[in-house]
Amino acid sequence: MIRSLLAALFLGVLFSATALGAVVRIVPSPGVPGKLDVDVRDGSLSRALEAIAMRTGSTITLQVPDRELTLRARSLAPEQAARALSAAAGLLLVPEGDSWVVIDRSEPTVTLDVQDEDVRTILRSVAGQCGIRNLMIDPGVAGKGTFLFHEVRCGIALRTIFGSLGLAAEHYPSSVVRVKQ
C-alpha cells in the first residue's frame, strides 16, 4: 500500500489524503497539460498547498493557522489552484521572492521610509503599525538599516527586516515577540 502511494506520488499521477472523512486530491487535468483538478472536501489547506508545491517545485508557506475547506475546481494552473484554495479559506496568496506566502487578508500593512536608522527604532515603528503589543529586543541586537515600504503587509515587512539585518524572532502567547541576533 505504501509502495503504491509513493509510486503514484512519484509519477505525478495522484495526490490524495483521507483522514476522518477529509479528502485532499490534486491531480493533473485529463488531456490538459500543466493544469490541475482540485477536489478538497473538509480537507486541510496546508495539505492541499503541499500537494501543489510538490507538483511545481515551488515553496508555499502558510503564515496563519491551518484551516479546513471545501473546494472543487477543474483545469486550473498551479498558481490559480493555490489562489483558489487560499480564497476558499478566506486568505490571500502573495508572492515573496521565488516562493508564495498565504496570509490573512486583514493583516495590517506598514509604511516606512528610513535611511541608516537604528534597528531598535525601526522595530518599534513596525511593531506599532502592526499591532505588536509586546516587543522584547535582546541587548545584543544592534545595527542600522534602510527601508522603504509603502503599505507592505506586516509579515512580509518583518521577514524582510529580519533577513536583511540578520535577526530572528520568537513569538509567544499574549502578542509577545522577542527579537534576537
Side-chain angles (χ1 to χ4, degrees):
M1 167 102 164
I2 292 176
R3 247 187 201 162
S4 345
L5 180 58
L6 289 175
L9 286 171
F10 180 76
L11 295 173
V13 175
L14 170 70
F15 180 89
S16 180
T18 305
L20 300 173
V23 173
V24 175
R25 187 169 178 258
I26 312 291
V27 296
S29 295
V32 187
K35 302 287 183 162
L36 301 172
D37 288 349
V38 175
D39 183 11
V40 179
R41 285 174 276 165
D42 297 324
S44 160
L45 174 61
S46 64
R47 284 188 187 260
L49 293 174
E50 285 172 17
I52 293 170
M54 284 176 40
R55 295 195 171 283
T56 62
S58 61
T59 302
I60 305 173
T61 305
L62 193 60
Q63 293 291 319
V64 296
D66 199 5
R67 299 175 184 194
E68 289 187 0
L69 65 125
T70 298
L71 176 72
R72 294 187 86 184
R74 301 287 174 250
S75 297
L76 297 177
E79 181 185 333
Q80 288 176 307
R83 284 189 190 284
L85 286 162
S86 299
L91 302 170
L92 184 64
L93 179 75
V94 295
E96 186 177 275
D98 294 339
S99 61
W100 295 91
V101 178
V102 179
I103 60 173
D104 189 334
R105 289 179 183 274
S106 63
E107 181 180 11
T109 61
V110 172
T111 298
L112 183 69
D113 185 357
V114 295
Q115 186 171 7
D116 293 325
E117 186 66 60
D118 182 69
V119 65
R120 293 170 178 276
T121 303
I122 293 169
L123 291 171
R124 280 193 285 273
S125 175
V126 172
Q129 293 181 60
C130 293
I132 297 171
R133 295 178 293 166
N134 303 295
L135 179 67
M136 297 177 358
I137 303 173
D138 281 0
V141 173
K144 293 183 179 278
T146 299
F147 299 96
L148 175 59
F149 296 139
H150 180 71
E151 295 184 18
V152 174
R153 301 230 183 244
C154 287
I156 294 170
L158 286 167
R159 284 190 300 281
T160 302
I161 292 166
F162 294 155
S164 66
L165 297 177
L167 303 174
E170 294 177 1
H171 299 269
Y172 297 98
S174 299
S175 184
V176 174
V177 176
R178 176 182 172 204
V179 180
K180 58 187 181 176
Q181 198 120 27

